[in-house]
Amino acid sequence: MLPLQIVVIGGGAAGFFGAIACAKANPEAEVTLLEASRQPLAKVLISGGGRCNVTHACFESEELVQNYPRGAKALRGALTRFGPQDTVAWFATHGVYLKTEADGRMFPVTNTSETIVECLIKAVATSGVKLRIGTYVTAVKRTSADAGFDILLKSGETIKCDRLLLATGSSLAGYKIVRELGHQIEPPVPSLFTFNIVDQKLRELAGVSVNPAQLRLSTDGKSQLQQTGPLLITHWGLSGPAVLKLSAWGARVLHESRYQATLLINWLPGLHQEQVREKVLAVKDEWGKKAIALHRGVDLPHRLWQYIIARAGITTEDRWAEISSKTLNQLVQELTQGKYLINGKGAFKEEFVTCGGVNLKEVNFKTMESRLVSGLYFAGEILDIDGVTGGFNFQSAWTTGYLAGIAMATSTPRRK
């Protein structure tokens, strides 16, 4: 009997991790990793601003899955089998140590993604995986009901294997292969993006940040989704963790609305609206003769305060004693429920993610094997799984890649 022949298509985080896990679990198997480009792990290299946000310091699976707009239910069990603590331990055994930042994100102590890339490339080499770069797959054919796969390359070569792991990310070529093998693809749309806001005066505040701010998204006149966290004003609109998280949860509804929506911003989420009103009234009573523009009474950046009072119809010369109850109500409204129009999303960057992919009902998450095609496995972003910003997408890649690799290594070969 020939040794188990395993092929992994896709040289990203999930593909590398799956290939390494498989080769280490079954040293007698012949594992080949195919990457179409000349630069494997390209997304890892540019992620996290070049630092690589490897995972998140959240070690309870029930809490962890709350960071996945799509895939939470499917990942719940998988993350108990290989979670962030296992990721940290895995890299430590390979000489790479991670540090935890204040917000829970975990990075290599070297502060460079090159450390992670070098670690994975070295692990592939030492585990005996055959890495082939610049190897473009044009099609995958099932040889028979149980007997493996033929992988057709652009060069004209055909590679045969018993087990196949697809870890091609959100590439159209990967989706094409999946469909031809009989699987359903949930339509891919961007996730984790910034908001374009139609307000030149707001854009002039580029660089101003608020932490925290509360955002509520409405695409049909009703407030549907909400996030609280750091907010950054940019020269095109709004960014920051709160916006990115909201874009992830609202990825599909925003796509369906062609990125036209209403955003309600509470600049003071630590206070109830009545508490904000009381603060404003107290400032009015104490500083009646003072200019509103210079005496704000709430904890906001000065430039942002001036912008907000202008939205409420207050000029830089107006004094607290002069404003009417109606204007004061409008100011409270702007501070707690300011209405902004989203008119498009920011440029989609390579390091960001896509929601959509292989229908999760068609995958066994104990092994990551297809429920439709025996011997076919999936890992990483090719699945309809995506997380919010903070290391959660990489954790999904490590988890699904590892589980697929172990399952392929321990399965019985059917080709003789």
Side-chain angles (χ1 to χ4, degrees):
M1 181 179 292
L2 294 172
L4 192 63
Q5 302 291 315
I6 293 170
V7 169
V8 178
I9 303 177
F16 263 74
F17 221 63
I20 294 164
C22 185
K24 288 192 172 182
N26 185 351
E28 295 181 1
E30 294 184 1
V31 183
T32 303
L33 175 57
L34 307 178
E35 166 56 31
S37 74
R38 292 284 175 183
Q39 176 63 64
L41 299 167
K43 201 168 182 178
V44 174
L45 196 61
I46 63 174
S47 69
R51 294 199 298 150
C52 188
N53 185 182
V54 177
T55 187
H56 200 94
C58 181
F59 305 117
E60 296 295 331
S61 61
E62 288 297 322
E63 181 183 350
L64 186 60
V65 295
Q66 294 175 21
N67 294 284
Y68 293 90
R70 283 148 293 271
K73 183 178 179 181
L75 278 176
R76 185 172 283 109
L79 287 165
T80 64
R81 291 185 283 278
F82 193 93
Q85 67 275 19
D86 301 298
T87 299
V88 173
W90 189 95
F91 278 102
T93 61
H94 289 77
V96 175
Y97 299 94
L98 307 181
K99 62 177 179 176
T100 305
E101 300 200 339
D103 58 3
R105 294 180 300 162
M106 300 191 75
F107 295 88
V109 294
T110 58
N111 256 344
T112 174
S113 56
E114 291 178 1
T115 301
I116 303 301
V117 171
E118 290 168 1
C119 171
L120 293 172
I121 289 177
K122 182 180 179 181
V124 155
T126 57
S127 63
V129 174
K130 184 179 180 181
L131 173 61
R132 295 181 56 176
I133 61 173
T135 306
Y136 188 87
V137 176
T138 57
V140 173
K141 305 294 183 184
R142 188 72 158 141
T143 53
S144 69
D146 286 327
F149 305 88
D150 285 343
I151 300 168
L152 285 61
L153 305 184
K154 190 176 182 179
S155 64
E157 179 186 354
T158 297
I159 300 175
K160 294 183 177 294
C161 67
D162 303 295
R163 301 288 173 265
L164 173 63
L165 171 58
L166 292 178
T168 51
S170 55
S171 78
L172 296 179
Y175 291 153
K176 178 175 179 288
I177 292 171
V178 171
R179 289 192 182 97
E180 289 174 347
L181 289 171
H183 273 275
Q184 178 184 344
I185 293 291
E186 298 299 324
V189 300
S191 181
L192 291 182
F193 49 82
T194 58
F195 295 160
N196 293 345
I197 302 293
V198 189
D199 188 334
Q200 186 56 39
K201 293 294 184 182
L202 178 69
R203 295 177 179 185
E204 290 173 4
L205 299 178
V208 172
S209 62
V210 175
N211 183 19
Q214 184 184 75
L215 311 180
R216 284 187 289 156
L217 182 68
S218 173
T219 55
D220 58 2
K222 297 179 180 178
S223 298
Q224 301 170 321
L225 299 167
Q226 178 176 299
Q227 285 292 331
T228 300
L231 177 68
L232 173 66
I233 301 173
T234 69
H235 65 268
W236 64 86
L238 297 171
S239 184
V243 169
L244 295 177
K245 288 179 180 180
L246 192 59
S247 77
W249 289 98
R252 292 215 176 275
V253 294
L254 282 166
H255 178 75
E256 291 165 4
S257 70
R258 298 185 179 182
Y259 305 100
Q260 309 293 309
T262 299
L263 185 69
L264 298 177
I265 302 181
N266 182 352
W267 299 101
L268 300 166
L271 302 172
H272 296 299
Q273 190 175 64
E274 278 308 306
Q275 291 176 312
V276 173
R277 185 185 306 280
E278 289 170 6
K279 269 187 167 289
V280 170
L281 284 171
V283 176
K284 181 180 179 182
D285 290 341
E286 185 176 354
W287 300 99
K289 295 181 180 181
K290 301 293 184 179
I292 299 171
L294 300 177
H295 294 79
R296 54 189 181 274
V298 293
D299 187 17
L300 287 176
H302 179 64
R303 291 171 60 205
L304 177 60
W305 170 256
Q306 291 187 316
Y307 164 78
I308 289 173
I309 65 171
R311 280 176 60 101
I314 298 169
T315 70
T316 54
E317 291 79 24
D318 286 340
R319 302 184 185 281
W320 278 108
E322 299 169 350
I323 66 167
S324 65
S325 296
K326 182 179 179 181
T327 302
L328 189 141
N329 289 339
Q330 184 61 39
L331 176 58
V332 172
Q333 184 76 9
E334 289 293 341
L335 288 168
T336 59
Q337 296 184 59
K339 189 177 292 187
Y340 299 80
L341 298 179
I342 298 173
N343 184 31
K345 62 180 180 62
F348 188 62
K349 298 182 180 180
E350 288 181 50
E351 69 266 33
F352 285 178
V353 301
T354 299
C355 82
V358 177
N359 186 309
L360 303 185
K361 294 179 180 178
E362 300 173 352
V363 181
N364 177 352
F365 269 75
K366 290 183 178 179
T367 60
M368 303 314 301
E369 185 175 14
S370 163
R371 294 186 185 277
L372 308 181
V373 183
S374 61
L376 175 64
Y377 297 76
F378 301 102
E381 201 181 340
I382 193 172
L383 295 157
D384 185 22
I385 294 174
D386 62 289
V388 298
T389 183
F392 302 103
N393 288 294
F394 271 131
Q395 184 57 54
S396 172
W398 311 132
T399 295
T400 55
Y402 182 85
L403 295 180
I406 296 298
M408 290 190 296
T410 55
S411 62
T412 304
R414 299 173 184 175
R415 181 172 58 80
K416 299 181 178 179

